[in-house]
Amino acid sequence: MREGYWTGRVKNLRKYGSKPYEVAVVHGGPGAAGQMADVARELSRNRGVLEPLQTEATIDGQIEELKVVLERYGKLPLNLVGHSWGAWLSFIFAAHYPALVEKLILVASGPFREQDALNITEIRLERLDPELKENALELMEQLLNPMGENKDESMARLGYLFSLADAFDPLDFDNQILQVNFEIHQSVWPEAAKMRRSGELLNLGYNIDCPVIAIHGDYDPHPAQGVEAPLEKVLKKFRFILVRDCGHMPWIERQARNEFYKIVRENLA
């Protein structure tokens, strides 16, 4: 796994394949634009795919930015494939604009109940060797320090270390993240965490009309039960798929990559 991040500005859309664009992949972070490039490229073999890149620093801003891009370039309603934070953003978007989403695929979503998220960082740290664990703790301190500098770079490095901890059996790959933006992360994530804590995030599921499929790796430190159990209670049409020998980014997993793409393709509308 090779580290590679860029912290400059990027435009907010990349397109793959040709029209009509029936699928949009939504990256995680928040503040890690470009992470879904490999997925977009693979899915574009037989259909047009949009890769929106979130540049706004509020959840409402990211929702409206996504809406503008999809309405301008997508064939609506379309399939939304969201990863990690992008799964939450896609979930929120589908609740706000149900008529724009044909099917929702949540990949490695964060848990929807706060109690299921308590040990994620601890699990990640314990999976790292001592030297990398110490480096990760130092980076976390730098990010918490109000006077800290070069926070985009610190966040990028920490994200890379956590990606090592998140993977079960990763292929060697070039990291596709174009932009790491700590300011976006620092603005959006507390807002999202508050929505989860209050129950607002989960309750948005009652407003989602389309089928929802959640794909989750059994090695992902984000616990599967924090996705499957709560979503079963609020979604009208829901299916949960657990993938064996798979971490937080299924498309980089040697043993799970092919199964992941098979599942996604079979479940696209």
Side-chain angles (χ1 to χ4, degrees):
M1 187 182 299
R2 293 191 288 273
E3 183 175 6
Y5 297 87
W6 181 63
T7 56
R9 292 189 59 80
V10 297
K11 295 181 179 179
N12 69 346
L13 175 67
R14 295 193 293 190
K15 294 181 278 188
Y16 302 78
S18 56
K19 295 180 180 179
Y21 296 105
E22 302 174 326
V23 180
V25 298
V26 184
H27 67 77
Q35 192 177 42
M36 292 285 277
D38 280 347
V39 178
R41 194 173 294 113
E42 179 67 25
L43 296 180
S44 71
R45 293 186 181 199
N46 56 1
R47 62 180 72 208
V49 180
L50 301 174
E51 185 195 6
L53 306 173
Q54 283 71 64
T55 65
E56 296 294 325
T58 66
I59 292 177
D60 284 346
Q62 292 198 4
I63 292 170
E64 294 308 309
E65 180 180 40
L66 184 57
K67 179 174 181 286
V68 168
V69 169
L70 299 185
E71 286 185 329
R72 181 171 181 180
Y73 297 100
K75 180 184 177 183
L76 302 175
L78 50 61
N79 301 269
L80 273 186
V81 182
H83 172 250
S84 195
W85 154 251
W88 276 17
L89 181 60
S90 299
F91 184 87
I92 298 168
F93 182 88
H96 279 75
Y97 298 109
L100 302 185
V101 183
E102 182 75 17
K103 186 169 281 191
L104 181 59
I105 299 180
L106 311 177
V107 180
S109 173
F112 285 79
R113 302 178 301 200
E114 187 172 19
Q115 64 265 32
D116 295 310
L118 298 178
N119 297 322
I120 294 172
T121 300
E122 180 180 349
I123 292 170
R124 284 170 151 171
L125 290 171
E126 290 307 311
R127 288 179 178 177
L128 296 173
D129 67 40
E131 183 177 352
L132 293 181
K133 179 180 178 180
E134 182 178 355
N135 187 197
L137 289 170
E138 291 172 353
L139 291 166
M140 291 167 67
E141 288 183 10
Q142 291 173 19
L143 292 173
L144 289 172
N145 182 357
M147 304 302 292
E149 299 180 351
N150 302 319
K151 291 195 174 185
D152 287 352
E153 288 81 0
S154 295
M155 178 177 159
R157 175 63 181 170
L158 183 63
Y160 172 72
L161 294 179
F162 280 169
S163 71
L164 297 178
D166 289 349
F168 180 79
D169 181 18
L171 296 162
D172 190 22
F173 80 109
D174 288 316
N175 200 306
Q176 297 294 320
I177 295 181
L178 292 174
Q179 178 189 47
V180 173
N181 190 308
F182 179 75
E183 182 179 350
I184 290 177
H185 186 277
Q186 189 70 358
S187 177
V188 172
W189 177 246
E191 187 181 357
K194 182 179 178 181
M195 288 180 67
R196 174 170 62 189
R197 188 164 53 249
S198 69
E200 179 186 357
L201 175 65
L202 182 60
N203 287 336
L204 287 173
Y206 290 114
N207 299 329
I208 295 176
D209 297 326
C210 68
V212 181
I213 297 90
I215 304 170
H216 213 87
D218 64 354
Y219 191 73
D220 193 332
H222 302 75
Q225 69 269 20
V227 178
E228 182 179 16
L231 291 188
E232 282 182 336
K233 297 178 180 179
V234 301
L235 293 172
K236 305 175 184 72
K237 306 168 188 175
F238 177 62
R239 182 183 177 202
F240 183 86
I241 303 172
L242 189 67
V243 181
R244 290 174 54 84
D245 300 333
C246 180
H248 191 56
M249 291 190 290
W251 61 93
I252 72 165
E253 292 287 355
R254 191 183 318 274
Q255 301 181 47
R257 171 187 168 88
N258 290 341
E259 182 182 357
F260 165 69
Y261 281 123
K262 181 174 183 288
I263 292 168
V264 173
R265 286 197 169 93
E266 287 177 348
N267 284 281
L268 290 174

